[in-house]
Structures are given as structure tokens and as C-alpha cells.
Amino acid sequence: MSNEKKTLLVVKDLKQHFPIKTGGLLNKKIGAIRAVDGISFEVKEGETLGIVGESGCGKSTTVRSIAQLYRPTSGDVIFEGLNLCEAKEKELVLARRNIQMIFQDPYASLDPRMTVRSIISEPLVVFNKRGLLDKKLTKLEIEEEVERLMERVGLNKAFKNRYPHEFSGGQRQRIGIARALALNPRIILADEPVSALDVSIQAQILNLLNELQKELNLTYIFIAHDLAVIQHISTRVAVMYLGKIVELADSADLYDNPAHPYTQALLSAAPIPDPEIERKRQRIILTGDVPSPDKIQPGCYFQARCPKRMPWCTCHVPPTFDLGNNHKVACWLYDEKDYSKISKEEAQADADKNKTEVK
Amino acid sequence: MKEDIKNKENAATNEFDQVVVGNSLTKDAWKRLRKNKMAVVGMVIVILYALISAFAPLLPLHDYDEIILDHQNLGPSFNKTAGELMMENKKKELYFKAWKDGSLVLTEEQSALIVSWIDESKTNSVWNLCLEEGEKQLAAGTFTWSSSDQKTLDKLQKKIDEDIFVDITKIYQGDTNLKKLDSDSLAKVYATMIGLDDTTLILEQTYKEMDAFVFNTIEMDADVKKNLSDEEKATIIDKEIEKLGDAYFEEKLAENLYGKINAQVLRDVTKILENESEEGTISFPYKDTIEVDGLTITVSSSLVNQRHYLLGTDYSGRDLLSRIIYGGQISIMIGIIGTLFSVFIGIVLGALAGYLGGKVDYIIMRIVDVMYGLPYMLIVIICMAIFGRSILNLFIALGIVSWLTIARMVRGQIMSLKNSEYVEAARSMGAKTWRIIFKHMIPNSLSIIIVYSTLRIPSFIMQESFLSFLGLGVQAPMASWGSLISNGVASMTIYPWRLIFPSIAMTLFLFAMNFFGDGLRDAFDPQSKNQL
């Protein structure tokens, strides 16, 4: 069924490396933090792609690269046939109208010196001034639009003269959502929109996002590290680890049959809101630390902490295997060939052979 | 249409029909500032100073640069006139002389005391004791003035009673103000005044004066100038006059003639007023029009020795109160303009460094570091020595060494704002760079800039005072607090008021400004404790 829907956004081998520099006048580049290291996925119209992963795995960088807040190091972001990475300034601004962001921290993402009215109307004013709207808006029309948006996201329009610091966290996030909706975007990149909120407020904001999606046929890319939130809102889920997508599947499928050892560990760590089951729950406890993202790993990025590690994994980077039913996973366990019997020496020899072949 | 928008904006009413008004950070800061009593007191004092300086010309003050040599170093007094103080000073001097001559006999203890005071150079104590004892003995009849001293005192008394000060504000011939007449008509007026039939003689004389004036203004080697023959001189002068233009020459000519008439009129009027005052037919202060030689003259006149000097006078007999007020004008102006200058440079360079980053940032910040390392007062002193001592140069010299801190501050602020989420939000909605800088970054860094500026003003005043103290700042007859204090220090033991009053005025202002600045800093800091 989902195949019939139009593909809205395609991300191909997206890489975002932040250079490490010596500083000083010469400012030599001595390395790079590989925040996002070659990820690919597609987003279909009307769906919600959830991205989960632990802190520092590159979730936020991914959406910022898609929004072109950071210019990607390499790779393509294709929105409705337009490659944003190579787009000209003007095309990019036009595309931005359709790609809007909701930010994580509702305290930091609203300018404290602007009234709610000017915050929500800012995108309209910017586009109006540059003459990029379908029709020039008058001040009065903008004013009415602001009121409509405020009421749509559940804010009293009487508050439009107020300043952000006079609102609670949930209300501020509503202001942020109203601002993102102002230009009638097709896709909204939500960068942990609920992680800074109380649990009860989280539910309200999630429900609001759900309603808006149904009403306006929005597409979301939704980041969270709360697995329950992702399960609630997403149609598909991508699991990220150290700048790579390790597993990508439909939401129900992923939660029922996690394939990648990392996903399994992640899901087993989520508490279950039933004390009886919670007490009996078996947890997979990962040891070790996330490796530093400034080095290129010879093998699987997860192998150092993987409970199902094989010698083969230490020197071979896993490709993506399709398990069918839209379920993709990057793990050697799912190759047709069984690698578990291969000793360390044989694996190393194979890796060296590949290296020389490439050379 | 416009009203529609206004109505819409005001239509922010809640379900109870109450208008909901936002509470901006600035409003919030103002509320917090009002709670801080010291800051409010400081603010009131600063505003008071600003008002007094701004409206100084409207206040009933004596001119700050009017030199009356008879009034040198008069002490501060609420009730005594200048004349009485002059008399007192004279008497002190004469009593002391009398003691030295032996005609004023004091007890042995008192004499010993005076001798010891002289050794310690406690001049005031000596004079006061002599005056006190002398007056006592004079009243008791045990001491009389010698005839020459008595004559001196009588002469002084007469001078005090009779000296008048005449100020000619306007001279009219019929209905026309003499200042508006051209040189020919002025020459005619002057001729009739001094009893000549035609103007040739006057014009000849005036032209000669003008030639001399023009010749003086020509810039040329002094030796060459001296050795010119008369003909060469004449050709050079003619050329220069041609260069200056007819209008300019005519203006100067008229000015010269007007000055002559003014001097003549002043002499005549003073004579008339002196006669009348001797006859007792007028009372002072006098303000009226007088007719002389067919001219109508507006005159104001007063007995100069009836003046009151609340804060005393300085070494040239200038009123200290008005000098402090006009000096404050200059000091405050230097504080404000210097701050604006340094804040402007600091914001531009700091914002550039912070926003562009990379090499630009590196170079600007290294320049700042190097300049921090230099002793800044030395740079200012060198600048003043090279470019000459004028107020403008003072501004520039102080400005170029004082933008460093603000540049660093603004850079830091811009750098942190550049990565803030609301700036990212603005970028993600396609706002242009200038919009981000002017709508988001500058309004958000304005509060620290304001606070820094208010704390910067006193330090500028201090620096200016320091330079004036060294003799590199404001030059007489202009005054600044620094130069007044520097003058006062020279005679601190004999005339202490010349040091005390300017110091109090300056200290009070600096205190007030600092409290106000501190209050602003607390008010703009959202984390401060006295939150509403």
C-alpha cells in the first residue's frame, strides 16, 4: 500500500564531516568528525519516518543537513526532483518553503526579543518581502494568518502580543509548530520536539502533530530518543549508530522483530509500563563505549560492543541486507553465507586481499 | 487600512474582553531597575547633571570665561558679596603687615603660634588669627590704622562701591541694528560720532588695519616676511585679498568698524553711568536703553563688586560654580562621545570577527591582543603630542584605544548567537544574513552593550581628567573637571575650595553613573535574584 504513495524526499549516501582544525593562522585540517557517514533512505508522502539512536549518533546532524543548515560534505538530498545540495540560492529558498523545522529546545528556538506575533509571522514576512509567495500579502492578511495559526495549534490568539518568556514549555513548542506551519510546508523536520517537555505535555504535542498530519497531509521526519514516542508516531523507523543507519523498517515490524543486535539492545533497554513484566524483563547490557567518530573503522562500527560479534565483523564493513517487507539491516548475521565459523586469521587475510584488489 | 491593522493589533483580547499586553524583556528590566534604590538615585543624579549641563546657558550664571582680576581667589560664601570678600582679604594682609611692623601687638603666645604657623606654611591660619585679633583691637580702640593703610582701605572701599560693569547688548540707529549695516554706513556713523565730516580718513585707517590683519594671516617663512619691501608686501596682500573674496573682506571690514563703534560707545556709556551713579540718580542692577550721538543702545549694567560667588573664584577671578557646570558639560560630552565612538568601532569589528570567523576573526583578535599589551595611556599621550591638543583629537585618541573590550564582548556574543536555535530557525526559513544580524543578533546583544556603555562613561571621564591633569587635555579658558582639579591642586593649602568643589562634583557624578550602570546590569540579567 505504501508503495503506491509518491516518494517525496530521497537521501543518497549523505555524508557530513566536520573538520578538526589546528586553529591559528594556518588552520590546518588534521582530521574530521564523521557525524553522518553515508546514509541513504527515502521518505514517502504522508508518512512519518522516526529516527532513533543514542546521543551523538548524528540524528540532529542528519536533519540539519537535509535542511541545508549545514552544507553536506558529499551525497545528495533530492526533494521532488531537486538536488538541494547543488541547488542555487534562489531554488534553495523556494524549497525551504516546503521543508520546515521544529527544534528541540522550545526555550532557545524562539527569539526572546520578539513577540509571538512577529515570531510566527517571520517566515511569511521573509517570503513576502522576497516576493516568493503566490500572492503578495498585506499586513492585515498576515495578521489574520497569524491568528488562524495560533488557534490551529491551540494557543489563545489573545496572547499574540506576549513574549516567549511568558509561556510554558508546551506553549512555546506550539509557537514553534505554528511558525513551522506558516508557509504550508510539505515536510516537517522535527528535531526532538518533545524531549524537553513533561510527559503529559509530550502527549499533547504528539497528538497535535498527529492531527496536523492528517489534516494537512504533512510528512514528518521525527527524531527522538524515546522509543515509546517513536513507536507512537512513526510509520517507519530508522535506527542510527555512529553516523550510519543500522536498521530501517516499518514501525510495527521493527518493534516486533528487531534484527540488528544494536536495535535489540536498544529495545530491551526501554522500560515497560507494567511492573510484573518489567520485573521479568531480560535486558541486553552493552559494554564498552561508543568509538570516537573521528576515525575510520575497518569493520562493523558496532563490533566492539556487539554481543553477537564474529571475527569476520572486525575487518569487514557490513552492507545493507534486505530482509523483505521493507526491512533493511546492516549486519553480517543476515548474509546468506554463515560467517560464524571463519577464524580471525582467515577473515583478516580476506580483508587484506580485498584491500589490495581495490588498489 | 492602517487603522484596520491597528485595530487588529489591539484586538488581542481574551475571553473576558481584557486586552492582553506582552511584557517585553526591556519592560521587565525597567521594572527590576526601579526596584533597585541605589540605581534609581544614581539615575536621578545623572539626569540632573545632564539637564544642568544641557541648559547651562539658560541658568543665571556668570560667564565661565569672564576674567575679573580684582576677584582673584575669593572664597566660597553664601551671604558675602565679592566686595566684602575683597575687603576682608585686604584687611588680612594689612593686619599681618601691621603685626610684622609691630603696630599690632599680640600676646607672646599668639606671636609664637604665628611664627610656628609660618614655618609650617599655614597661611590661612595666620591670616584668620590676624584678622580676628585686629578687628577685636580695632573695636576696643587699642589699634588704629596707619594713615597710608587707612588711605588704601578707603580707596578700595570707594572702588568697591563705584566700580560698575557695563555690557552693551545691542546698538541701534533708528530702527536698524548696527550689526546689519554695511561698512560704508558704519564708517559714516563712526565719523559723526568722533566729529569728522567725511569718512575718507576713517576708511584709510581701517584699510591699513585690514592690510596688516591679512598680512598676519598669510603663512610664510618669518624671515622672508620681515625682509619684504613695501611694494612686494602690497602685491602679496592684494593677491591674498583677492583670494579671500569680496564678501569675506567686506564682512571683516564691517566687523572692524563695528568694534570701533562699540568701544567708543562703551566709553561714553560708562562715563554717563558713572556720573549718574555718583549723583545717585540710578540704581543697580541697571537695564535700559541710552541715547548717545543719535544711537540707541541697549545696556545692562551692574555693580561688579556686588556679585555673589557661591563656590568662590579661581586664580583669574572666574566664577567657580559656572566653571564647574560648563566643565561638566565638556566632561560629560567627552564621556558620551568617546563611548559612542568606541562602541561603534567595537561593534563593527567585533561583529565582523564573530560573524565571519576564520582568518578575519584571527587577525582582528590578534590586533586586539597586541593593543591590550600596550600601555594605552602612553598611546593617548603620544597621539595628543603628535596631533596637537584639541578636544576632537582627545576624542579620537581615547576612542582608538578603548574599543578593545567591547569588540571582544560583541564577538563573543555574536559567536554564541550565531549557533543559537532561533538563528538556525531564521536561516531555515530563508532569512537573509542582514535580517538575521539586525533582527536577531543585534537586539539580543544590545542589553550588554548598553550596560557596558554606561559603565564606560565614567572611565572616559576619568581618563580625560587624568590627561587634563597632566596638561594634555582641555585648555583654558575652556574647563573640564579634570583641568579644574588640576588647577586646584596647585594651591590646595591656601585656596582649598578650588580643589574641593570640582572634586565633589566629579566624584558624585562618577558614583551615580557607576550605581546606575550596575543597576542596569542587574536589571538586564534575567538570572538576577530580584526577578519579578
Side-chain angles (χ1 to χ4, degrees):
Chain A
M1 196 182 82
S2 61
N3 289 341
E4 295 160 21
K5 282 189 179 163
K6 219 173 86 190
T7 303
L8 196 62
L9 181 80
V10 181
V11 175
K12 267 192 212 155
D13 200 28
L14 184 71
K15 281 184 186 169
Q16 181 71 56
H17 296 177
F18 295 111
I20 305 169
K21 290 177 177 171
T22 51
L25 197 57
L26 294 174
N27 220 355
K28 233 166 78 185
K29 193 184 150 187
I30 52 168
I33 297 288
R34 307 164 156 268
V36 175
D37 202 9
I39 62 170
S40 308
F41 58 84
E42 288 179 3
V43 184
K44 300 220 162 54
E45 198 163 10
E47 76 168 349
T48 302
L49 176 71
I51 300 181
V52 278
E54 59 195 294
S55 300
C57 70
K59 308 182 296 282
S60 294
T61 311
T62 306
V63 292
R64 278 172 165 72
S65 300
I66 292 171
Q68 304 297 312
L69 285 177
Y70 307 141
R71 283 301 194 146
T73 315
S74 68
D76 299 320
V77 176
I78 299 162
F79 177 77
E80 291 200 310
L82 175 71
N83 190 346
L84 298 181
C85 301
E86 289 157 9
K88 292 196 189 76
E89 172 72 20
K90 185 105 185 177
E91 294 170 322
L92 190 60
V93 172
L94 274 173
R96 283 206 155 124
R97 193 183 159 179
N98 287 321
I99 306 174
Q100 286 289 309
M101 281 188 78
I102 298 173
F103 290 87
Q104 170 180 10
D105 187 349
Y107 293 82
S109 62
L110 306 176
D111 187 336
R113 304 223 161 250
M114 287 174 124
T115 57
V116 171
R117 175 223 317 273
S118 37
I119 289 171
I120 297 178
S121 66
E122 197 181 11
L124 287 169
V125 171
V126 167
F127 272 73
N128 205 18
K129 268 200 184 147
R130 299 182 109 177
L132 299 174
L133 292 176
D134 307 334
K135 167 172 128 356
K136 268 256 178 208
L137 295 177
T138 62
K139 268 192 165 178
L140 194 64
E141 283 167 329
I142 291 180
E143 195 70 30
E144 281 165 358
E145 182 66 12
V146 168
E147 285 183 3
R148 193 185 64 76
L149 284 165
M150 285 181 77
E151 280 177 350
R152 184 64 208 83
V153 297
L155 285 170
N156 189 338
K157 69 180 176 188
F159 294 158
K160 65 183 172 179
N161 283 332
R162 288 201 171 174
Y163 290 82
H165 66 103
E166 298 174 276
F167 290 92
S168 71
Q171 283 174 315
R172 289 186 205 200
Q173 201 56 287
R174 286 174 197 268
I175 297 170
I177 293 171
R179 172 174 67 184
L181 292 176
L183 290 171
N184 278 325
R186 308 275 297 279
I187 182 164
I188 285 185
L189 310 174
D191 184 4
E192 305 197 31
V194 294
S195 49
L197 305 176
D198 290 348
V199 179
S200 58
I201 312 290
Q202 280 189 10
Q204 290 175 13
I205 296 292
L206 288 175
N207 290 336
L208 173 67
L209 288 172
N210 259 336
E211 284 167 30
L212 289 171
Q213 183 169 36
K214 274 182 208 136
E215 198 176 306
L216 306 170
N217 191 27
L218 286 171
T219 309
Y220 291 136
I221 294 181
F222 194 98
I223 294 181
H225 37 222
D226 186 332
L227 292 163
V229 167
I230 289 287
Q231 188 175 17
H232 175 75
I233 198 159
S234 308
T235 48
R236 280 199 307 150
V237 179
V239 181
M240 281 187 78
Y241 184 79
L242 212 64
K244 287 183 184 300
I245 291 182
V246 293
E247 189 164 0
L248 178 66
D250 284 347
S251 177
D253 196 16
L254 184 102
Y255 279 84
D256 292 343
N257 316 302
H260 198 281
Y262 178 65
T263 315
Q264 290 163 0
L266 208 59
L267 289 181
S268 85
I272 300 163
D274 181 339
E276 298 225 337
I277 307 174
E278 170 73 16
R279 249 174 257 133
K280 289 177 202 152
R281 182 165 66 105
Q282 287 283 316
R283 293 182 58 190
I284 304 168
I285 294 171
L286 294 179
T287 52
D289 289 323
V290 183
S292 168
D294 61 350
K295 292 190 190 73
I296 304 173
Q297 307 285 335
C300 173
Y301 277 52
F302 185 57
Q303 56 91 7
R305 303 170 73 191
C306 185
K308 296 179 181 169
R309 178 179 53 227
M310 304 175 289
W312 182 262
C313 301
T314 56
C315 43
H316 292 84
V317 180
T320 311
F321 300 101
D322 201 336
L323 304 184
N325 198 15
N326 269 333
H327 198 143
K328 287 174 187 155
V329 62
C331 180
W332 285 115
L333 289 172
Y334 300 95
D335 199 5
E336 286 153 9
K337 197 174 155 192
D338 186 6
Y339 294 98
S340 56
K341 301 278 162 22
I342 295 173
S343 74
K344 193 164 183 192
E345 286 73 25
E346 282 169 317
Q348 191 62 50
D350 186 57
D352 290 345
K353 201 181 82 195
N354 286 345
K355 239 185 233 169
T356 48
E357 266 174 25
V358 169
K359 270 180 192 170
Chain B
M1 193 71 214
K2 241 196 175 143
E3 259 174 34
D4 275 357
I5 295 164
K6 263 262 151 347
N7 287 341
K8 264 285 183 203
E9 279 174 17
N10 293 335
T13 49
N14 62 10
E15 44 282 309
F16 304 111
D17 265 354
Q18 294 157 322
V19 177
V20 178
V21 184
N23 195 8
S24 76
L25 288 188
T26 328
K27 238 193 224 168
D28 201 40
W30 171 236
K31 273 186 194 161
R32 248 176 287 156
L33 181 72
R34 272 193 314 198
K35 275 179 141 189
N36 186 342
K37 282 204 186 88
M38 286 310 282
V40 172
V41 170
M43 190 178 69
V44 169
I45 292 176
V46 167
I47 291 173
L48 217 64
Y49 265 84
L51 285 179
I52 289 176
S53 308
F55 296 107
L58 301 180
L59 297 175
L61 295 168
H62 304 302
D63 286 345
Y64 75 99
D65 54 356
E66 184 191 345
I67 296 177
I68 300 175
L69 289 173
D70 287 336
H71 292 177
Q72 282 174 356
N73 300 321
L74 295 181
S77 165
F78 271 114
N79 43 18
K80 286 182 193 162
T81 61
E84 284 164 343
L85 288 167
M86 279 163 69
M87 200 56 175
E88 208 171 78
N89 283 353
K90 194 74 196 172
K91 276 184 180 165
K92 280 178 187 170
E93 192 187 307
L94 289 179
Y95 278 125
F96 179 62
K97 223 168 79 193
W99 171 75
K100 256 170 66 190
D101 294 346
S103 54
L104 177 66
V105 185
L106 299 179
T107 61
E108 295 231 334
E109 285 163 32
Q110 282 170 330
S111 295
L113 201 58
I114 288 178
V115 172
S116 74
W117 277 340
I118 290 172
D119 285 345
E120 291 167 32
S121 39
K122 284 185 178 169
T123 327
N124 277 333
S125 310
V126 176
W127 281 347
N128 287 338
L129 184 74
C130 287
L131 180 69
E132 199 185 315
E133 280 300 310
E135 291 287 288
K136 222 190 270 168
Q137 294 193 15
L138 192 68
T142 52
F143 171 79
T144 46
W145 291 113
S146 70
S147 62
S148 67
D149 285 353
Q150 190 60 50
K151 220 184 261 171
T152 317
L153 287 174
D154 287 346
K155 222 161 130 197
L156 183 66
Q157 191 58 51
K158 188 163 180 286
K159 189 175 156 62
I160 289 169
D161 291 341
E162 288 175 2
D163 262 11
I164 55 172
F165 171 78
V166 179
D167 188 24
I168 292 175
T169 30
K170 271 167 200 160
I171 306 173
Y172 282 97
Q173 187 185 36
D175 284 336
T176 41
N177 191 337
L178 238 53
K179 261 192 184 153
K180 283 177 188 151
L181 289 181
D182 60 4
S183 54
D184 282 340
S185 336
L186 282 171
K188 263 179 218 154
V189 172
Y190 190 52
T192 45
M193 272 178 80
I194 56 174
L196 286 175
D197 287 338
D198 65 344
T199 58
T200 37
L201 217 61
I202 293 166
L203 284 176
E204 229 170 74
Q205 170 68 20
T206 316
Y207 279 129
K208 249 185 220 164
E209 283 172 19
M210 287 301 293
D211 283 352
F213 164 75
V214 170
F215 187 64
N216 275 335
T217 58
I218 297 172
E219 278 177 31
M220 200 188 276
D221 195 67
D223 285 335
V224 181
K225 227 178 191 180
K226 228 185 268 172
N227 295 329
L228 287 173
S229 71
D230 286 351
E231 282 138 41
E232 281 172 326
K233 249 189 198 175
T235 47
I236 290 176
I237 290 168
D238 283 347
K239 247 188 224 159
E240 184 69 17
I241 288 173
E242 221 168 273
K243 215 165 74 187
L244 291 171
D246 285 344
Y248 179 79
F249 189 73
E250 164 65 25
E251 192 188 311
K252 285 281 159 199
L253 198 64
E255 235 171 64
N256 183 314
L257 284 164
Y258 184 82
K260 279 185 177 140
I261 294 171
N262 198 26
Q264 183 66 30
V265 166
L266 183 65
R267 237 172 291 149
D268 292 349
V269 169
T270 310
K271 215 174 275 169
I272 293 170
L273 289 176
E274 269 170 3
N275 285 338
E276 284 190 28
S277 112
E278 249 170 61
E279 288 161 17
T281 47
I282 60 167
S283 60
F284 291 99
Y286 176 82
K287 213 168 191 177
D288 207 349
T289 51
I290 295 179
E291 302 264 341
V292 183
D293 298 336
L295 300 174
T296 315
I297 302 144
T298 318
V299 181
S300 69
S301 172
S302 60
L303 285 169
V304 68
N305 294 321
Q306 292 296 323
R307 290 185 174 189
H308 285 272
Y309 295 116
L310 291 182
L311 303 185
T313 60
D314 71 354
Y315 60 93
S316 315
R318 293 176 289 210
D319 182 15
L320 202 56
L321 175 64
S322 82
R323 279 184 83 67
I324 289 174
I325 289 174
Y326 279 91
Q329 216 177 27
I330 287 185
S331 282
I332 294 171
M333 194 167 75
I334 286 176
I336 291 172
I337 295 183
T339 303
L340 288 182
F341 197 77
S342 71
V343 163
F344 179 75
I345 300 180
I347 288 182
V348 169
L349 290 179
L352 272 181
Y355 197 78
L356 297 178
K359 286 209 171 78
V360 179
D361 179 30
Y362 186 81
I363 290 167
I364 291 178
M365 283 305 118
R366 289 303 82 72
I367 291 173
V368 169
D369 288 345
V370 169
M371 286 195 64
Y372 254 119
L374 298 172
Y376 72 97
M377 258 305 158
L378 195 69
I379 300 178
V380 173
I381 289 169
I382 290 170
C383 279
M384 296 298 291
I386 292 173
F387 299 116
R389 298 181 291 181
S390 76
I391 296 189
L392 188 72
N393 286 343
L394 192 67
F395 289 152
I396 294 171
L398 287 176
I400 52 176
V401 295
S402 54
W403 56 270
L404 307 171
T405 315
I406 190 110
R408 271 191 182 173
M409 249 166 49
V410 171
R411 167 180 175 264
Q413 189 74 10
I414 294 281
M415 278 169 86
S416 75
L417 289 179
K418 203 169 92 177
N419 292 324
S420 69
E421 281 195 342
Y422 58 86
V423 170
E424 272 186 356
R427 284 204 306 160
S428 79
M429 67 183 72
K432 284 183 180 163
T433 308
W434 64 262
R435 189 187 165 88
I436 291 172
I437 292 180
F438 285 101
K439 282 263 167 178
H440 297 284
M441 287 184 171
I442 289 191
N444 275 292
S445 29
L446 216 53
S447 62
I448 61 160
I449 293 171
I450 290 171
V451 170
Y452 177 78
S453 306
T454 46
L455 290 175
R456 192 73 215 160
I457 289 173
S459 82
F460 261 104
I461 292 176
M462 292 285 278
Q463 285 171 6
E464 185 277 327
S465 302
F466 179 58
L467 284 174
S468 292
F469 191 81
L470 293 181
L472 286 167
V474 174
Q475 298 297 302
M478 285 217 266
S480 74
W481 286 333
S483 67
L484 287 174
I485 290 171
S486 146
N487 290 335
V489 164
S491 55
M492 174 162 87
T493 49
I494 311 181
Y495 312 118
W497 63 89
R498 279 173 43 192
L499 174 64
I500 291 171
F501 292 121
S503 311
I504 291 177
M506 182 165 133
T507 315
L508 190 64
F509 182 77
L510 297 188
F511 260 116
M513 204 72 211
N514 272 319
F515 278 124
F516 180 48
D518 276 345
L520 272 184
R521 190 180 53 202
D522 290 347
F524 274 118
D525 180 10
Q527 261 99 44
S528 79
K529 278 176 200 156
N530 52 352
Q531 213 160 19
L532 290 173

